Amino acid sequence: MGGVSDPSTALPSDPHRVPSAGERTRVVIIGGGPGGYEAALTAVRQGAETTIVEQRGIGGAAVLTDVVPSKTLIATADVLDLVADSDGLGIRDADTGAPPNSGTLNVDLAAVNHRVRRLAAAQSADIRASLSAAGVRIIDGHGRLAGSERVEVLDADGQVVDTCEADVVLLAVGARPRELKGSPSDGRRILTWTQLYELEELPSHLIVVGSGVTGAEFASAYRALGTDVTLVSSREKLLPGSDVDAADVLEKAFTRRGVKVRSRSRAASARTEGDGVVVTLTSGEKIIGSHVLMALGGIPATSGLGLESAGVRVKESGHIDTDRVSRTSVRGVYAAGDCTGVYPLASVAAMQGRIAMHHALGDAVSPLISGHVSSAVFTSPEIAVVGVSEQDVRDGTISGEVRTLPLSTNPRAKMQGITEGFVKLMVRPGSHTVIGAVVVAPRASELILPYTMAVAHRMTAEEVAGTFTIYPSLTGSLAELARQMHKAD
């Protein structure tokens, strides 16, 4: 994970400056997203004098323009998906007697986005209140290193308005959306994922450039909301690097719902034309739509932090080089979140921040274990994964056994009209220790937890199988698959 040391066992603290007797350790955190605010709460609980410097608003991009807004939008889309798929449940329109479908409902996008922004602001306010109540000092402004023991705070004009002395510094500045070269976003027709929530009317045809997690989620959500969607993917499959079977289920769901997927196609440019946009592919073909979303990943927001002058090592990608306890190359300076390039997940950022503070303030701490990280794609259906992948087993990288159980056999799924999805389990041969799992289902992000616990605590398939589940429930398939793994030996 870079050039700094990479511990694999619990480690003692690594103090920057040892405070004198009776003096509190001074912690300064640049960035108020999940990595920053979780680190602040951890630090203040351990008695540190803690300060957060944040320029965009507490909660950072995760709360204000990324995770919270997107999942709030997706929650509305999920309701429409339920309506669209309820024909088989015997539900009919009260006036016409016709089967319900999402096309018979109107989406007030202005109202939806107003709710999105309101909830994001409320979450930010709640976090700020929690930090203040805990005794964390919050400074609004842009923070940068002035050496390794001092943080300067700049105002919007770039003037230094405050200076904080620090024994420990945590950098948790996140990332910003990557844009297509030569086709910058304009906030009206050419959009990044941070700008979608200002739209007042539903796009008639949204072109999504990028088939990773962000692109897939917004393609799924906007199609459910009633927008025509074309997804431009440079890869053969959606969600490159993910479970192949899961990507296949999602691609079939997209086809069934009418999402047009342009595989092995790369966008060369995008421009506004009249009341719409034109996206030109590298092949020369043009796709015409009303709006285009650039879902091309993120760029670490590490410029202007004073990293070079402080001696903090940065990778070629611009990410801050860290080890598994979040240390940078400079003693006493830590980093967490998307700016490190470890995993672009709010949960990982929060864990990195907590680990950094435990380590810096004297606790023995277990390093971040990548194999214990669970993640989800909030499409319809959702996809959740943890641990090693089936591809790792097929390639011989990991020794394991793989078994899959379709949800179509689950009684609760039948009752709810769920026809897509599966659960997949990877275990070690002989011992049947659970080493990885995939769940593709509605609310897969919730269903993955038992398997995540099994991976983290080295449980066997037999132990999972022996745990009671509710009948009928989708979790019943988690235990049933574990029982089948026992039979397979």
Side-chain angles (χ1 to χ4, degrees), residues 399-410:
S399 179
E401 298 174 0
V402 181
R403 195 173 182 90
T404 303
L405 179 67
L407 279 184
S408 58
T409 63
N410 181 285

Side-chain angles (χ1 to χ4, degrees), residues 4 23 44 64 67 78-79 82 84 117 153 203 209 217 287 326 350 374 385 406 412 421 453 474:
V4 295
E23 185 180 6
V44 78
L64 295 171
V67 182
D78 283 345
V79 173
L82 285 174
R117 296 192 299 269
V153 182
V209 178
E217 287 185 346
I287 302 175
S326 303
S374 57
V385 301
R412 185 68 181 274
M453 294 179 68
L474 296 184

Side-chain angles (χ1 to χ4, degrees), residues 54-328:
E54 168 57 51
Q55 63 177 337
R56 293 174 294 184
I58 293 298
V63 169
L64 295 171
T65 60
D66 191 356
V67 182
V68 170
S70 65
K71 277 47 179 183
T72 305
L73 177 77
I74 288 168
T76 299
D78 283 345
V79 173
L80 289 171
D81 258 340
L82 285 174
V83 172
D85 290 338
S86 62
D87 179 21
L89 302 182
I91 298 174
R92 297 291 182 270
D93 185 278
D95 295 324
T96 66
N101 64 80
S102 58
T104 64
L105 301 176
N106 293 321
V107 174
D108 183 345
L109 191 65
V112 171
N113 279 339
H114 174 74
R115 178 174 182 263
V116 166
R117 296 192 299 269
R118 177 169 51 81
L119 290 180
Q123 182 68 10
S124 176
D126 286 346
I127 298 168
R128 178 180 280 268
S130 296
L131 291 169
S132 296
V136 177
R137 180 189 180 202
I138 301 172
I139 303 177
D140 297 319
H142 172 74
R144 73 179 181 194
L145 292 173
S148 59
E149 299 185 7
R150 181 177 298 156
V151 171
E152 293 179 339
V153 182
L154 285 66
D155 63 15
D157 297 322
Q159 300 300 310
V160 177
V161 295
D162 205 342
T163 301
C164 304
E165 302 296 328
D167 304 310
V168 176
V169 175
L170 175 72
L171 306 171
V173 293
R176 57 183 173 83
R178 186 184 302 275
E179 299 188 30
L180 189 63
K181 187 177 180 180
S183 302
S185 62
D186 60 15
R188 296 180 300 106
R189 298 285 176 180
I190 303 175
L191 305 163
T192 68
W193 68 76
T194 67
Q195 299 168 328
L196 285 168
Y197 312 109
E198 300 300 324
L199 293 178
E200 295 290 314
E201 295 182 355
L202 199 65
S204 59
H205 180 189
L206 179 65
I207 304 168
V208 179
V209 178
S211 59
V213 172
T214 301
E217 287 185 346
F218 280 113
S220 179
Y222 269 89
R223 184 67 195 112
L225 294 174
T227 293
D228 287 338
V229 176
T230 298
L231 181 66
V232 178
S233 171
S234 62
R235 306 295 186 91
E236 176 66 29
K237 292 282 187 182
L238 297 176
L239 301 174
S242 69
D243 183 84
V244 174
D245 292 336
D248 284 343
V249 169
L250 182 60
E251 191 157 341
K252 290 175 183 175
F254 274 12
T255 299
R256 179 172 59 81
R257 290 179 166 89
V259 176
K260 303 177 184 67
V261 179
R262 303 297 302 273
S263 301
R264 291 181 292 182
S265 300
R266 189 179 296 274
S269 66
R271 72 176 191 276
T272 59
E273 189 173 285
D275 292 331
V277 295
V278 177
V279 174
T280 302
L281 306 182
T282 53
S283 64
E285 182 183 353
K286 291 178 172 56
I287 302 175
I288 299 173
S290 63
H291 300 74
V292 59
L293 168 65
M294 296 299 177
L296 300 171
I299 298 173
T302 51
S303 61
L305 278 181
L307 300 179
E308 184 176 348
S309 61
V312 175
R313 186 158 51 240
V314 177
K315 303 174 186 177
E316 289 185 11
S317 61
H319 294 98
I320 299 171
D321 197 6
T322 59
D323 65 14
R324 290 167 61 200
V325 291
S326 303
R327 291 180 296 190
T328 71

